[in-house]
Amino acid sequence: GQNIDQPTEMTATEGAIVQINCTYQTSGFNGLFWYQQHAGEAPTFLSYNVLDGLEEKGRFSSFLSRSKGYSYLLLKELQMKDSASYLCAVRGSGGGNKLTFGTGTQLKVEL
Amino acid sequence: KAGVTQTPRYLIKTRGQQVTLSCSPISGHRSVSWYQQTPGQGLQFLFEYFSETQRNKGNFPGRFSGRQFSNSRSEMNVSTLELGDSALYLCASSLVSGGAGEQFFGPGTRLTVL
């Protein structure tokens, strides 16, 4: 089966750095995705990791350790607009575009 | 370039009825995936279509079905609606099936079953 865990809620201060963790147990692994979803809107793609290591894209970075079944999303220089739900999703061995999503981490950025 | 469009945006149905939702992917995209989003369960994969063929299927009952047309537009159908089918139904389009292909989500169809 597939199981993805991430914290339900996090709060951080504008300008700070926040790390959102995701652990997974899946039957096979073929990539890990992070999506951002603002309330009432569709999810938007943030990052994709398939090999171990850090992928950096502007203020956002994502890390993957396949042996530990672990990933994190790092958000730097937090802005109020970063308040959103962050979804971790894994593609298993079935291939294609079938993703198993975690329930999301609701991030609140405060002044 | 137009994004993913879904119609209708809102639907209200009663138990036992059936419903058809439509998704038009980004031009040139051949993969369309469908997801159900509820507050308790989060996003759950329903199925993926690629070049008119079902590529993957999630763990939903047979009441949930879909298809894809030659122009890559996709429809999903839910028969014999139940209260628990109330959810946001999202479709996502991608250029390819698999790989690093980013999935672009549509705005969703909010289905309410009374």
Side-chain angles (χ1 to χ4, degrees):
Chain A
Q2 320 271 62
N3 190 47
I4 298 176
D5 289 313
Q6 46 181 135
T8 305
E9 294 178 341
M10 297 182 73
T11 302
T13 306
E14 189 179 37
I17 299 172
V18 72
Q19 178 175 311
I20 302 174
N21 296 323
C22 170
T23 58
Y24 63 89
Q25 296 108 37
T26 58
S27 50
F29 177 84
N30 204 6
L32 186 142
F33 297 77
W34 284 95
Y35 282 83
Q36 179 193 60
Q37 186 175 27
H38 285 100
E41 297 183 11
T44 54
F45 171 84
L46 289 177
S47 68
Y48 168 73
N49 295 72
V50 68
L51 299 176
D52 291 352
L54 188 68
E55 293 283 340
E56 297 185 81
K57 193 187 287 187
R59 294 190 298 116
F60 294 74
S61 303
S62 57
F63 171 83
L64 175 68
S65 168
R66 289 171 296 170
S67 62
K68 292 189 168 77
Y70 168 69
S71 173
Y72 67 72
L73 180 69
L74 195 71
L75 291 77
K76 303 175 190 173
E77 300 167 16
L78 279 172
Q79 301 174 10
M80 298 298 288
K81 67 178 183 179
D82 296 328
S83 293
S85 181
Y86 290 85
L87 306 169
C88 171
V90 172
R91 181 166 60 209
S93 57
N97 284 332
K98 178 180 180 179
L99 299 183
T100 300
F101 280 83
T103 50
T105 298
Q106 188 64 46
L107 174 66
K108 183 178 179 183
V109 180
E110 299 178 328
L111 290 171
Chain B
K1 202 175 195 181
V4 180
T5 58
Q6 292 187 245
T7 56
R9 292 294 310 279
Y10 301 92
L11 262 180
I12 299 176
K13 293 284 188 180
T14 55
R15 278 181 300 174
Q17 287 188 307
Q18 69 104 28
V19 67
T20 299
L21 312 181
S22 179
C23 172
S24 293
I26 292 170
S27 178
H29 285 196
R30 294 164 62 193
S31 168
V32 174
S33 299
W34 288 89
Y35 292 86
Q36 181 195 67
Q37 187 172 32
T38 58
Q41 299 294 320
L43 270 156
Q44 292 186 285
F45 176 84
L46 281 154
F47 26 66
E48 178 196 4
Y49 286 88
F50 180 76
S51 294
E52 301 179 66
T53 302
Q54 189 177 85
R55 175 82 199 265
N56 279 294
K57 191 176 188 310
N59 297 322
F60 279 81
R63 300 185 297 107
F64 292 81
S65 62
R67 59 178 175 167
Q68 187 179 35
F69 301 95
S70 58
N71 62 357
S72 294
R73 188 177 71 86
S74 178
E75 289 181 347
M76 68 163 279
N77 184 277
V78 189
S79 62
T80 321
L81 283 166
E82 300 177 359
L83 294 179
D85 297 333
S86 293
L88 180 67
Y89 289 88
L90 293 160
C91 79
S93 87
S94 182
L95 195 59
V96 297
S97 181
E102 176 182 343
Q103 291 189 54
F104 296 83
F105 282 84
T109 294
R110 173 76 60 186
L111 172 65
T112 302
V113 182
L114 302 175

